[in-house]
Amino acid sequence: MEQYKQEFIEFMVDSKVLKFGEFILKSGRKSPFFMNAGAYVTGAQLKKLGEYYARAIHDNFGDDFDVLFGPAYKGIPLSVAATIAYSELYGREIRYCSNRKEAKDHGDVGILLGSGLKDGDRVVIIEDVTTSGKSIEETFPILKAQADVEVKGLMVSLNRMEKGLGGKVGALQEIREKYGIEACAIVSMAEVTEHLYNRPYKGEVLIDDALKASIDAYYAEYGA
């Protein structure tokens, strides 16, 4: 596994973003692990997170895009942090854009925050995690309603490797097939498990045999 992926896994653990236990997800599934990008709360964490996203986006999409779109609410700080990092790392000015849950009817009117969208804009969507792909179903119509944009792809931090809404293939694969865009992740849950299973990290084994069994059982039911 690449060094930066190992570092990112440990960064998620250190930031208390990746947790293990028992969690009920938005999809209704009961999961033995949970990833919450809302737990990145300090300037140092957000700076580092933006750099990981920027590198992954550059590796997968190069400079072939104009806008980073972060769906409300967690996608807003992700898109801002990654846009700043992209400028610093690669010297290219891209724009950030996010949506409001409700359109504003005074002052800076409309449903968008940050940059507006115009015909021909090439957009990369940035999210924390995609479990079933439901969030993209909500995001795609928002983008298409604003302008005739080209959605280049989706970048998430963790690929949970679960079945999408169709229940047959993984959520990221389902997004690729349904929308014809590339869907990528900084790391996958298989890589997380590989790196942490029965391996002490700062004096603690985060994925022991019991938790590994729970993860395996979860993927037996929901895995793609």
Side-chain angles (χ1 to χ4, degrees):
M1 188 193 312
E2 296 93 326
Q3 182 66 28
Y4 84 92
K5 291 190 175 188
Q6 298 178 34
E7 292 173 359
F8 183 66
I9 292 166
E10 293 169 3
F11 172 61
M12 287 194 290
V13 171
D14 290 340
S15 302
K16 301 189 187 309
V17 165
L18 180 61
K19 297 183 177 182
F20 302 97
E22 189 173 289
F23 308 93
I24 302 298
L25 307 178
K26 183 179 179 180
S27 61
R29 299 170 182 174
K30 185 184 293 185
S31 172
F33 56 91
F34 182 64
M35 188 268 174
N36 173 27
Y40 294 116
V41 294
T42 70
Q45 288 173 337
L46 289 170
K47 182 177 186 297
K48 202 168 183 180
L49 177 65
E51 290 169 354
Y52 280 117
Y53 266 107
R55 288 192 175 99
I57 290 167
H58 189 265
D59 284 350
N60 285 277
F61 300 102
D63 287 331
D64 191 26
F65 69 102
D66 308 295
V67 180
L68 275 181
F69 182 85
Y73 289 103
K74 290 179 183 177
I76 297 174
L78 296 181
S79 61
V80 172
T83 299
I84 293 171
Y86 203 92
S87 174
E88 291 179 344
L89 291 173
Y90 302 108
R92 181 165 181 269
E93 292 290 13
I94 56 171
R95 292 137 50 207
Y96 102 88
C97 180
S98 295
N99 65 295
R100 297 181 171 97
K101 289 292 188 178
E102 296 178 356
K104 188 178 178 184
D105 60 4
H106 61 281
D108 182 19
V109 298
I111 198 171
L112 299 181
L113 293 168
S115 172
L117 295 173
K118 61 182 185 294
D119 292 352
D121 274 341
R122 300 163 300 171
V123 180
V124 172
I125 301 169
I126 181 171
E127 290 200 288
D128 57 346
V129 65
T130 294
T131 301
S132 64
K134 183 177 180 181
S135 60
I136 294 299
E137 276 204 341
E138 299 168 352
T139 301
F140 227 80
I142 293 172
L143 289 169
K144 290 298 187 179
Q146 302 306 308
D148 184 17
V149 301
E150 177 187 0
V151 179
K152 301 294 294 187
L154 166 71
M155 177 60 68
V156 301
S157 57
L158 177 66
N159 178 4
R160 288 185 59 104
M161 301 172 61
E162 299 177 35
K163 296 174 185 174
L165 294 175
K168 294 181 180 179
V169 298
L172 294 186
Q173 180 62 30
E174 193 169 88
I175 289 168
R176 294 184 192 106
E177 294 175 357
K178 183 172 183 179
Y179 298 103
I181 64 174
E182 189 55 52
C184 314
I186 301 174
V187 295
S188 69
M189 195 58 204
E191 290 168 326
V192 170
T193 303
E194 174 190 338
H195 185 57
L196 296 178
Y197 177 49
N198 277 344
R199 179 180 298 173
Y201 177 64
K202 294 187 175 179
E204 181 182 2
V205 174
L206 298 170
I207 301 181
D208 58 15
D209 289 338
L211 183 58
K212 178 64 161 54
S214 296
I215 292 173
D216 289 345
Y218 183 77
Y219 279 115
E221 184 171 0
Y222 300 116

